[in-house]
Amino acid sequence: MAQFLKLNQSLMISDNLKQVKSRIDSVQSRKKVELIAVSKTRSTKEIQEAVDAGQVHFGENYLQESIEKINFFKGSGLIWHFIGPIQSNKTSAIAGNFDWVHSVDRIKVATRLSDQRNPALGSLNVLIQVNVDREETKSGVDIENVGEIVSEIESLPNLSLRGFMTIPRPENSQNSFAEMKQLISKYPNLDSLSMGMSADLEIAIKNGANLVRVGTDIFGQRSYN
Ligand SMILES: *Cc1c(COP(=O)(O)O)cnc(C)c1O
């Protein structure tokens, strides 16, 4: 019985991945769209199943659990994206273990990430998190302050500023995604827009997203315990 359940589970993850990829392919986009499998709370076994199905990009929110997983998969060629809120005392571990950081929202954090990035690892790819709906409870830079933080980050030696990330209010995502598309068009040297999750990835891609972050529709419902 246990054997049977295990088999079912891995079939499920690879089938889910196929479905999400075909949803992505169904939307016309001028850019190549990269699927990031959000693996927060998931075990190395679940991640392995996604890897076996060809998945390369993974997103994590919680530093402690993510470092364990990154170490477990060392040498497998996976690309790790930090997508959670950043406490400034955690920047060293983020700079040392991740390939991308989507959630940079203040210059202090950006400066620490640059100072603590080992140049031998190459530049750390960063996105500025934008609080597009001006929600008080959400982290991110307000749109009118983006210009200033862009030029500050561009001057940091060990970071490569690639673009923006946003988590809009679900009921307003169409407008918010359009606003982000407008915003990035003002910065021709930025090439990445991280937006769209399980529920709204099609609308995000139509508005120029090239990094979509999907958890639930790949791995099933999360349980936090
Ligand atoms: C958890 C999370 C996701 C994935 O959300 P799902 O609804 O599980 O697809 C995407 N982005 C961020 C920033 C997250 O924290």
Side-chain angles (χ1 to χ4, degrees):
M1 189 63 187
Q3 194 61 34
F4 177 72
L5 282 174
K6 183 171 158 245
L7 191 64
N8 247 346
Q9 164 88 359
S10 51
L11 274 179
M12 188 189 84
I13 290 175
S14 64
D15 278 357
N16 289 349
L17 267 170
K18 260 191 225 147
Q19 257 172 42
V20 172
K21 281 188 212 155
S22 76
R23 283 173 62 194
I24 291 172
D25 291 341
S26 75
V27 189
Q28 284 209 321
S29 170
R30 275 184 292 149
K31 297 191 221 164
K32 176 177 167 21
V33 177
E34 207 63 72
L35 170 62
I36 300 172
V38 176
S39 47
K40 63 183 177 213
T41 78
R42 312 299 179 172
S43 65
T44 51
K45 193 163 143 283
E46 289 169 292
I47 295 172
Q48 183 67 59
E49 288 165 11
V51 171
D52 291 344
Q55 183 62 30
V56 172
H57 290 260
F58 290 88
E60 288 281 340
N61 296 54
Y62 310 114
L63 192 60
Q64 176 94 31
E65 61 162 272
S66 69
I67 303 294
E68 288 164 21
K69 297 178 208 176
I70 291 171
N71 284 331
F72 183 88
F73 287 102
K74 270 253 147 72
S76 314
L78 303 187
I79 299 173
W80 294 93
H81 300 250
F82 192 80
I83 62 174
I86 304 175
Q87 296 165 265
S88 54
N89 64 339
K90 302 284 170 62
T91 50
S92 171
I94 294 173
N97 285 281
F98 282 83
D99 304 293
W100 287 73
V101 182
H102 293 220
S103 40
V104 174
D105 65 352
R106 53 201 194 279
I107 191 65
K108 180 185 178 191
V109 159
T111 305
R112 289 174 63 95
L113 287 170
S114 179
D115 290 347
Q116 293 164 340
R117 178 73 169 182
N118 177 352
L121 294 174
S123 297
L124 179 63
N125 296 294
V126 306
L127 304 174
I128 296 167
Q129 183 170 351
V130 178
N131 187 358
V132 64
D133 296 317
R134 300 167 176 282
E135 292 171 277
E136 283 191 10
T137 54
K138 231 171 234 174
S139 33
V141 179
D142 288 342
I143 287 199
E144 66 271 20
N145 298 328
V146 164
E148 189 186 348
I149 192 167
V150 163
S151 41
E152 290 187 89
I153 293 180
E154 281 181 331
S155 74
L156 296 171
N158 298 317
L159 303 186
S160 172
L161 180 64
R162 302 293 298 272
F164 305 120
M165 179 272 247
T166 199
I167 311 169
R169 286 212 315 272
E171 63 277 17
N172 190 40
S173 59
Q174 166 83 63
N175 289 337
S176 308
F177 290 153
E179 238 182 298
M180 293 302 298
K181 182 183 185 178
Q182 171 91 34
L183 177 69
I184 201 166
S185 73
K186 297 180 188 150
Y187 300 94
N189 52 334
L190 300 183
D191 63 10
S192 296
L193 211 39
S194 166
M195 55 189 199
M197 312 204 279
S198 293
D200 54 15
L201 65 91
E202 288 91 346
I203 313 170
I205 295 169
K206 279 183 193 147
N207 286 283
N210 64 314
L211 299 167
V212 295
R213 312 177 308 264
V214 178
T216 309
D217 281 4
I218 295 173
F219 295 107
Q221 288 296 330
R222 270 182 298 277
S223 58
Y224 294 89
N225 44 41

